[in-house]
Amino acid sequence: MTKQLLIYERAVPVTRQRHGSWSVKAGTSFEFARGVNSVPLMVAEFGNAAAEYTIVFGGAADEIIPVALLGIRDNENLYVNDSGAWAGNYVPAFLRRYPFVFSSDNANEADATFTLCVDEEFSGCNDEGRGERLFDADGERTQYLQNVLGFLQAYQVQFQRTKDFVKRLQDLDLLEPMQAQFTLRTGQRSTLSGFSVVNRDRLKALPADKLAELMQADELELIYLHLGSLRNLTPIAERIGGAAAEPADTAPAAPADFETSGNA
């Protein structure tokens, strides 16, 4: 597979025949994510992520998904420091699952079969016994690999829940395009666009029964976590030497717990 999903260089299905002697040494480097300025975010992560990231909605039509902004310029991740370590408190699950990922054989996820893949270009993949083995001497999955599968299965469940949440926002016509402009201390101006946010006025204008449905589904809380996270735009910009944000113009180890884990 060619580079896909932002950070994967060559993800191939995990098999006993190909990876029977392989191990994965996860380490603490996030160099693989240095060039991404946003990553998908599942709704189960909103509570942790909203404290330090800006949560917006990226994509178009039926491909819209919540994302955590990691930078305001292309190919720049302000949360990976010079040594490759993560310079934040919470690491999004999209990154924690690396170098593993599910691939699907069907665009219709309800009928899809998911295959566990590993990015063979990840520097921690080896056949020298460094890190965690994928298969034991008998060719059976190790507990490490079982944990990886469990994490990705939980991720897939949350992915579907997240898609359902976005569809509800679209059905209620709550999303609108947004653009944010920043002036850096150098005088350089930077514009961030191509994302959407929930329109507060449209939210307040919803009928009582629709608001009640959002509340019962715990989605009203998700909306307010998203809206509250917009205040993090300025702190993100300040990571590139200090910036004054102008008002926005509307126009790798097998992770532990999915919802609460921070640095893996």
Side-chain angles (χ1 to χ4, degrees):
M1 298 171 68
T2 57
K3 184 164 186 175
Q4 25 84 60
L5 292 176
L6 302 178
I7 56 177
Y8 295 84
E9 296 284 350
R10 186 161 57 95
V12 301
V14 174
T15 66
R16 293 178 179 85
Q17 293 74 23
R18 187 180 181 98
H19 305 106
S21 63
W22 277 42
S23 299
V24 173
K25 177 68 173 176
T28 57
S29 175
F30 286 84
E31 283 293 339
F32 63 86
R34 185 176 292 281
V36 295
N37 68 355
S38 67
V39 293
L41 196 71
M42 302 299 103
V43 291
E45 303 180 87
F46 274 33
N48 287 322
E52 58 183 321
Y53 305 110
T54 298
I55 302 171
V56 295
F57 296 86
D62 60 349
E63 298 297 323
I64 292 177
I65 193 168
V67 299
L69 292 181
L70 305 176
I72 61 173
R73 299 184 292 197
D74 290 341
N75 305 314
E76 180 182 59
N77 187 339
L78 298 170
Y79 288 86
V80 177
N81 65 23
D82 292 342
S83 64
W86 193 258
N89 294 314
Y90 180 76
V91 180
F94 181 89
L95 300 177
R96 281 188 279 129
R97 67 180 183 168
Y98 186 82
F100 300 97
V101 66
F102 271 156
S103 67
S104 171
D105 63 354
N106 195 318
N108 182 1
E109 294 191 15
D111 302 320
T113 297
F114 294 97
T115 301
L116 178 66
C117 297
V118 63
D119 186 354
E120 292 188 335
E121 294 299 314
F122 175 53
S123 61
C125 292
N126 67 92
D127 58 3
E128 302 161 358
R130 293 182 289 107
E132 301 285 348
R133 287 285 301 266
L134 300 182
F135 297 94
D136 62 23
D138 297 323
E140 300 299 323
R141 296 170 181 168
T142 61
Q143 186 60 53
Y144 170 76
L145 188 55
Q146 294 284 20
N147 290 344
V148 168
L149 280 166
F151 182 81
L152 266 69
Q153 287 165 352
Y155 187 94
Q156 200 60 39
V157 170
Q158 290 297 330
F159 181 73
Q160 186 57 53
R161 182 188 170 201
T162 301
K163 287 182 63 177
D164 293 342
F165 170 60
V166 172
K167 186 175 187 308
R168 190 187 298 266
L169 296 182
Q170 292 177 299
D171 289 345
L172 295 174
D173 193 29
L174 292 179
L175 295 177
E176 67 173 352
M178 180 178 176
Q179 183 182 84
Q181 296 182 341
F182 304 88
T183 302
L184 308 184
R185 288 180 178 174
T186 60
Q188 177 186 3
R189 292 179 63 82
S190 182
T191 299
L192 185 66
S193 59
F195 63 92
S196 299
V197 300
V198 170
N199 182 292
R200 290 177 181 269
D201 291 334
R202 295 181 195 171
L203 177 63
K204 289 187 291 185
L206 285 179
D209 62 325
K210 296 300 182 183
L211 286 172
E213 289 177 8
L214 289 172
M215 184 175 64
Q216 290 297 323
D218 292 328
E219 292 176 342
L220 192 57
E221 178 183 5
L222 294 174
I223 291 173
Y224 281 115
L225 284 169
H226 147 65
L227 290 172
S229 77
L230 298 180
R231 67 172 63 94
N232 293 327
L233 273 171
T234 298
I236 290 174
E238 288 172 346
R239 286 176 174 261
I240 52 178
E246 297 180 359
D249 298 322
T250 298
D257 181 74
F258 178 82
E259 298 188 24
T260 60
S261 290
N263 292 289

